[in-house]
Amino acid sequence: MELKKAYENQNVLFQESVTLEEIEDTLFYLSRMGALQIEGGFLVIYNRMNIERLGATNIRYKQDDYRKLEQFYTNKIQQIHIVGEYARKMVHDYQAALRLVDDYFSLNSTSFIQKYFPGSRKDEINRRITPGKYRQLFGELSKTQLEIVNDNQPGHIVVAAGPGSGKTRLLVHKLASLLLMEDVKHEQLLMLTFSRAAANEFRSRLHDLIGNAVGYIEIKTFHSYCFDLLGRQGSIEKSKSVIKDAVEKIRNSEVEISRITKSVLVIDEAQDMTEDEFALIAALIEKNESLKVIAVGDDDQNIYAFRNSDSRHMQSLITNYQARHYELCENFRSRSNLVAFANAFVNLIPHRMKHTPIQAHQLEKGSIRITQYQSDNLIVPLIKGVLESPLAGTTGILTKTNEDAVFIACLLQEQGMPVRLVQTNSGNFYLGDLDEIRYFNRALDLSQDTHLIDDERWETAKRCLKREFGHAQSWEICRNIILNFEQVYSRKYHSDWTNYLFESKLEDFYPVQGEAIVVSTIHKAKGKEFDNVFLLLTNIESLSDEKKREVYVAITRAKQNLSIHTNGHYLSNIANGLAEYRINSNTYPAPQSLCYTLTHRDLWLDFFIDSHCQAAINTLKSGMSLRLTEKGCTDFSNNEILRFSKKFKDILNELIQKDYKLEKASVNFVVYWEKQEDKKEAKIVLPKVVFKKV
């Protein structure tokens, strides 16, 4: 009311009326963007302050000066545990509880603690958390994990974590320990990841340890954090330079200092940092004198060199910033002989950070089979091997290329196998462009002024989506997108939903579970694990260091059984005594069926603009059949739906020369596409096309 009155009493030329609702909306927006904070009904405004140090900079106070204060808080912690012990005794033994009270007032402190907290319980009374929470935090950690979690000394930490070593568990428990044991404030903690899926997983698992308090912690991707610093909305075009722009503004003191003032910065998958991303870390260190950086990653799994990632930035934290170095080398995922085989292979990679071999936690042995072929066509024998294997548990078929993954998935589907092809939208469209998600957003009916999405509106939109697309091929992936958001965000803010859609990728929503066979490229399988792994390595004459790391990632996905199909000889030397190695001299034909999932590059996109095809596309859903023509595809009413690009026509001609013919087509995805030149938007169809050998 005071704000409304002050606004109305302004002496301005053009006075606009204002309602209380508009005042409340403004306060809500300012609090969400961090310009002010509303706590307990009081308005707290943080005014900018310049603090200058005058005179001598010698230390005036030392740790000894705070001993009495430290003892005061230690006594407070002990009293809480004593009251807890009294409460437990009251429940089970009333007389014992009365004796505790008598002893508390009659015995000296040392004697009382020895009597009621004997042996190992002596440490319990000085902890800031309950015994149950302590067991939850630390009870299941390995010796090295516990050492890292308990490292509360100033300075930076770099952890070189091997595959299956519990990296995610370590980071989640370290975050919880920082909050509960080291008294780091929620707003002083920042975690940066490389994918929205990783951020969501950390937020979900941390919620199990600290509850709703996780909502106050910044767990963001590098891009999302920089967009926030610059006050921009995410877009594919802006994301290319947003990190570099943020670094420049931080160094020029053009970012509000409260936005970058942190006590602890945690980095997941630190081996994937690019030069720009490491520059962001360096800029934050420069602006935060006491910032503690905790970076965890595996330089042996640095497989994103094509996006300029380099594990040397992890090493730079050690050499240039004197970070303490830990190695996490116990593999909880794979059986012992698989770990031994991976160790033998990884020794081929030079300049590694880890010096300790990975140790297997499991003593049981699994199966390792390597087949070296003389033939160039390995898809047919790989399919045969999959069909003949007694598969139990999860199965992953990993390839170098998307093309091979699509071929294998289609052939297995023809054999009636339960197959899930992991597809991606990287570089083509973002999830908010999917026809199904656009429909869901329209059903939500959100305006620019809608900040919080109420549950009734959300549930109504879900019912509308299922009614419209419940029988579409895309239904499962769309359902997973929405359910995952619900699991991560207890309160559904419009801005969170928008950023979630922008940063997430299709490949994040293919769960590895049940008996389904997951077909994926090696890059998309990073971070996942399978009971059985089939690895296809074709046409590799020799392994570069980058290719070695890719193969290492692939073989370390296997928990029990590993089957490698290759026409190279580079694995023969390390297979001795570790794997069953076979030479197959048979000649195999090319597959009878070839399947392609077309992307934007395979279509003539301008055809969709101002075209009569839009009306026909509006009736299509994922999984529906199409008719093939030489130019493209039509629906079954002969309405032209799409035309192929020159690039795909060249592929088509090559296949025809190899005696393949167009067999069938279907709708893979319907997405929205905007022509940049004139900002015109249209629906386009991304089809799946199958060829058969004549």
Side-chain angles (χ1 to χ4, degrees), residues 141-420:
L141 298 178
S142 68
K143 180 180 178 182
T144 309
Q145 289 172 339
L146 190 60
E147 185 181 357
I148 297 168
V149 169
N150 287 331
D151 185 343
N152 59 5
Q153 298 302 308
H156 311 305
I157 295 173
V158 169
V159 181
S165 60
K167 171 182 68 69
T168 302
R169 173 186 291 245
L170 167 72
L171 283 174
V172 169
H173 285 255
K174 182 64 177 176
L175 288 167
S177 178
L178 287 164
L179 295 166
L180 300 178
M181 300 293 286
E182 299 183 40
D183 205 25
V184 174
K185 305 303 179 188
H186 299 80
E187 65 271 16
Q188 292 294 306
L189 182 57
L190 171 65
M191 181 176 190
L192 295 179
T193 71
F194 286 91
S195 72
R196 168 66 69 165
N200 291 347
E201 182 179 3
F202 280 109
R203 191 174 293 279
S204 176
R205 292 177 64 166
L206 191 56
H207 182 275
D208 295 338
L209 291 180
I210 66 172
N212 291 334
V214 70
Y216 299 98
I217 302 172
E218 278 194 281
I219 304 178
K220 297 179 176 292
T221 66
F222 278 84
H223 284 87
S224 176
Y225 178 64
C226 291
F227 274 123
D228 285 350
L229 291 182
L230 299 178
R232 296 182 191 171
Q233 187 73 26
S235 72
I236 293 175
E237 293 75 28
K238 292 177 182 177
S239 65
K240 296 175 182 176
S241 63
V242 66
I243 296 178
K244 189 175 290 186
D245 294 345
V247 171
E248 183 179 352
K249 289 191 177 294
I250 291 172
R251 287 178 171 164
N252 293 336
S253 301
E254 296 177 30
V255 175
E256 182 65 41
I257 192 67
S258 62
R259 304 296 303 278
I260 59 173
T261 301
K262 301 293 178 183
S263 297
V264 181
L265 167 61
V266 179
I267 308 168
D268 179 40
E269 301 287 6
Q271 80 279 352
D272 292 334
M273 283 189 290
T274 65
E275 187 174 347
D276 288 342
E277 287 154 353
F278 186 70
L280 174 66
I281 306 305
L284 292 174
I285 292 174
E286 290 170 14
K287 294 295 182 178
N288 290 273
E289 186 177 332
S290 60
L291 179 68
K292 180 175 186 174
V293 176
I294 302 172
V296 180
D298 185 359
D299 58 310
D300 296 327
Q301 297 189 57
N302 175 30
I303 61 173
Y304 293 108
F306 60 87
R307 65 176 285 272
N308 298 318
S309 68
D310 196 329
S311 58
R312 285 182 295 181
H313 299 309
M314 269 182 77
Q315 183 64 49
S316 182
L317 284 170
I318 299 172
T319 54
N320 298 335
Y321 292 92
Q322 293 74 52
R324 295 184 293 284
H325 180 208
Y326 290 92
E327 293 184 9
L328 211 56
C329 295
E330 187 174 10
N331 185 314
F332 296 90
R333 173 189 299 154
S334 306
R335 293 191 171 177
S336 58
N337 59 329
L338 274 75
V339 173
F341 178 75
N343 281 339
F345 182 84
V346 81
N347 286 332
L348 301 175
I349 303 174
H351 313 301
R352 299 175 57 231
M353 288 182 66
K354 290 188 291 298
H355 302 289
T356 306
I358 305 298
Q359 302 295 319
H361 181 76
Q362 301 183 50
L363 299 179
E364 300 93 336
K365 290 189 175 183
S367 167
I368 307 175
R369 291 190 178 93
I370 303 173
T371 307
Q372 181 184 332
Y373 298 87
Q374 307 299 321
S375 176
D376 290 334
N377 299 314
L378 305 190
I379 290 179
V380 170
L382 182 138
I383 296 288
K384 185 173 181 289
V386 172
L387 294 175
E388 292 176 352
S389 297
L391 301 178
T394 57
T395 299
I397 302 177
L398 309 184
T399 68
K400 292 189 304 167
T401 66
N402 278 310
E403 188 177 73
D404 285 342
V406 175
F407 292 167
I408 292 168
C410 287
L411 289 169
L412 285 171
Q413 285 169 347
E414 288 184 358
Q415 297 291 330
M417 301 293 286
V419 176
R420 182 178 287 117

Side-chain angles (χ1 to χ4, degrees), residues 603-631:
L603 304 175
W604 178 23
L605 295 174
D606 280 350
F607 170 77
F608 295 100
I609 299 290
D610 297 327
S611 173
H612 65 279
C613 71
Q614 288 297 301
I617 290 176
N618 285 333
T619 66
L620 297 177
K621 292 180 175 60
S622 176
M624 286 185 171
S625 296
L626 298 172
R627 281 179 174 166
L628 283 161
T629 68
E630 291 184 0
K631 293 182 179 180

Side-chain angles (χ1 to χ4, degrees), residues 466-527:
K466 185 172 184 179
R467 186 168 55 248
E468 185 70 17
F469 293 95
H471 298 291
Q473 180 180 282
S474 58
W475 165 245
E476 182 185 12
I477 200 77
C478 294
R479 178 177 172 272
N480 290 342
I481 291 170
I482 293 170
L483 289 180
N484 184 267
F485 181 79
E486 292 175 347
Q487 292 167 1
V488 174
Y489 295 94
S490 55
R491 304 189 73 188
K492 304 172 187 68
Y493 287 104
H494 189 177
S495 57
D496 287 337
W497 172 241
T498 302
N499 290 332
Y500 171 85
L501 292 176
F502 173 71
E503 291 193 324
S504 299
K505 294 182 175 61
L506 275 175
E507 61 209 63
D508 301 335
F509 301 102
Y510 292 90
V512 178
Q513 58 189 24
E515 299 295 325
I517 299 173
V518 176
V519 186
S520 167
T521 62
I522 294 172
H523 285 88
K524 292 183 203 139
K526 186 170 176 287

Side-chain angles (χ1 to χ4, degrees), residues 94-107:
Y94 178 71
Q95 294 300 322
L98 293 181
R99 285 195 297 273
L100 181 144
V101 174
D102 289 339
D103 288 341
Y104 180 78
F105 289 104
S106 60
L107 297 175

Side-chain angles (χ1 to χ4, degrees), residues 411-433:
L411 289 169
L412 285 171
Q413 285 169 347
E414 288 184 358
Q415 297 291 330
M417 301 293 286
V419 176
R420 182 178 287 117
L421 172 65
V422 178
Q423 301 179 75
T424 187
N425 57 316
S426 297
N428 295 317
F429 62 92
Y430 84 108
L431 295 188
D433 290 332

Side-chain angles (χ1 to χ4, degrees), residues 567-624:
N567 53 8
H569 62 276
Y570 35 77
L571 296 175
S572 57
N573 291 335
I574 65 169
N576 292 335
L578 296 173
E580 178 186 339
Y581 197 94
R582 295 180 293 184
I583 304 289
N584 187 323
S585 302
N586 297 334
T587 300
Y588 292 93
Q592 291 297 306
S593 297
L594 295 178
C595 184
Y596 288 84
T597 54
L598 275 58
T599 67
H600 289 60
R601 293 187 295 272
D602 301 311
L603 304 175
W604 178 23
L605 295 174
D606 280 350
F607 170 77
F608 295 100
I609 299 290
D610 297 327
S611 173
H612 65 279
C613 71
Q614 288 297 301
I617 290 176
N618 285 333
T619 66
L620 297 177
K621 292 180 175 60
S622 176
M624 286 185 171

